[in-house]
Amino acid sequence: MIVLALGNVLTAVADGFAMLMIARVVLGIGMGVVWGMASAIAARLVAPRSVALAVSFALGGVASASVLGVPLGTVVGNAFGWRVAFAVLAALAVLVAAGLIFLLPVLGRRGGTAPGPRRSLARPSVITGLIVVGLVVMAHFAAYTYIRPALETLSGLTATSIAGLLLLYGVFGLIGNLTAGFAAGRRPVVTVLLLSGGITVALVVFAFFGRSGVVAGIAVALWGAAYGGLSVSGQLWVTAAEPDRSEHVTGVYVGVFTAAIALGAAAGGWVIKSVGVVALLLSASALALGAGFVGIVGRGPTRGSGVVR
């Protein structure tokens, strides 16, 4: 959290593009560590029967930020300037750091003081889960990065209407996050595959029938619910495969997830520029469908640790 505070301070005082990019790198490093550790720590703070719910709440912060963070930051920025907005974020990060120090217990090393021999993380169940989640995330961000031009092109919606649909997306994302957390605690593989199918259906419906604003809204809501549950479900999949090494497997998971975000956004930009919006949506849906096929033919745990073994 202190690293995140530093990144926001550097952003607030940036006097040029180079300093701004350095600040973004600092923020990325801090956020990567937070994301990689938060759910693993949450799982260790509760009884085994509550692991899925704890992870769901921890990762729900990402979905909540998607709904509330940008609008609140925009309000502060419009009222006082964008530098003040980032300074406020830095102060909040320092307050959260203090809260972590005073409110959370000290957690020791898992399994005693001696690390001992470790199995490789390259197990079929882990690898399959990482591939599936990576492909679905690539499919999502290939399309979602360009959702505004897609809505403008297909549906002809105004900026206000698009903002309303994005809010709808965020709300259903929160619902999907909590719902999928309960389901994935028992059957993580099935849950991830259903979410992949939901994204596939949403993109296909949007591509073929998105010229209707109502249909576009339904597709965006389904899309938000499906993707909102993906992060927690995918993480429960890989940690169920290695329950005694949740910190290690979570770090790898976050690396794959963030790499897939970058690759998906880059690929989506190339596709939309080359062949247009509809082709982008259908290509992304095909990728999500392919991810589901990989999950079906691959190996993975069908029940999560901490709830049903």
Side-chain angles (χ1 to χ4, degrees):
M1 295 309 302
I2 295 299
V3 172
L4 289 174
L6 174 61
N8 282 308
V9 169
L10 291 175
T11 304
V13 302
D15 57 357
F17 185 74
M19 177 61 76
L20 187 61
M21 292 304 296
I22 292 172
R24 301 307 295 177
V25 170
V26 173
L27 284 167
I29 292 171
M31 196 61 232
V33 175
V34 169
W35 193 8
M37 292 297 296
S39 58
I41 292 174
R44 296 182 61 187
L45 291 172
V46 298
R49 66 179 180 277
S50 302
V51 166
L53 184 59
V55 173
S56 181
F57 273 120
L59 297 180
V62 178
S64 301
S66 300
V67 178
L68 302 175
V70 174
L72 289 176
T74 301
V75 169
V76 175
N78 289 339
F80 305 103
W82 65 269
R83 293 184 187 274
V84 174
F86 282 99
V88 170
L89 290 175
L92 289 175
V94 172
L95 289 176
V96 172
L100 295 175
I101 292 172
F102 290 107
L103 298 178
L104 289 186
V106 176
L107 298 176
R109 185 198 303 270
R110 278 185 183 272
T113 57
R118 292 287 190 182
R119 301 189 310 273
S120 171
L121 288 177
R123 304 178 66 190
S125 53
V126 175
I127 296 299
T128 300
L130 292 175
I131 292 174
V132 170
V133 171
L135 291 175
V136 177
V137 172
M138 284 182 62
H140 167 77
F141 277 95
Y144 185 72
T145 304
Y146 307 97
I147 188 172
R148 177 164 183 165
L151 287 169
E152 290 173 340
T153 301
L154 292 178
S155 308
L157 298 176
T158 64
T160 301
S161 297
I162 291 174
L165 281 187
L166 293 180
L167 179 61
L168 180 70
Y169 170 93
V171 170
F172 273 85
L174 286 172
I175 296 172
N177 177 271
L178 294 176
T179 304
F182 285 108
R186 292 173 171 81
R187 296 187 178 276
V189 173
V190 172
T191 304
V192 170
L193 295 180
L194 288 174
L195 295 175
S196 175
I199 292 174
T200 301
V201 171
L203 292 174
V204 170
V205 170
F206 189 14
F208 286 115
F209 307 105
R211 287 173 177 79
S212 165
V214 174
V215 175
I218 294 172
V220 167
L222 174 60
W223 189 357
Y227 181 75
L230 180 65
S231 182
V232 59
S233 302
Q235 188 150 326
L236 287 172
W237 177 338
V238 296
T239 53
E242 283 285 359
D244 296 327
R245 302 182 66 189
S246 58
E247 291 90 348
H248 299 79
V249 75
T250 297
V252 176
Y253 175 83
V254 170
V256 170
F257 203 103
T258 52
I261 291 174
L263 290 173
W270 180 84
V271 173
I272 195 172
K273 182 179 180 180
S274 302
V275 290
V277 168
V278 173
L280 170 64
L281 295 173
L282 293 178
S283 298
S285 67
L287 187 58
L289 183 63
F293 178 76
V294 171
I296 291 172
V297 300
R299 292 175 57 192
T302 57
R303 295 175 180 265
S305 62
V307 179
V308 178
R309 294 188 181 275

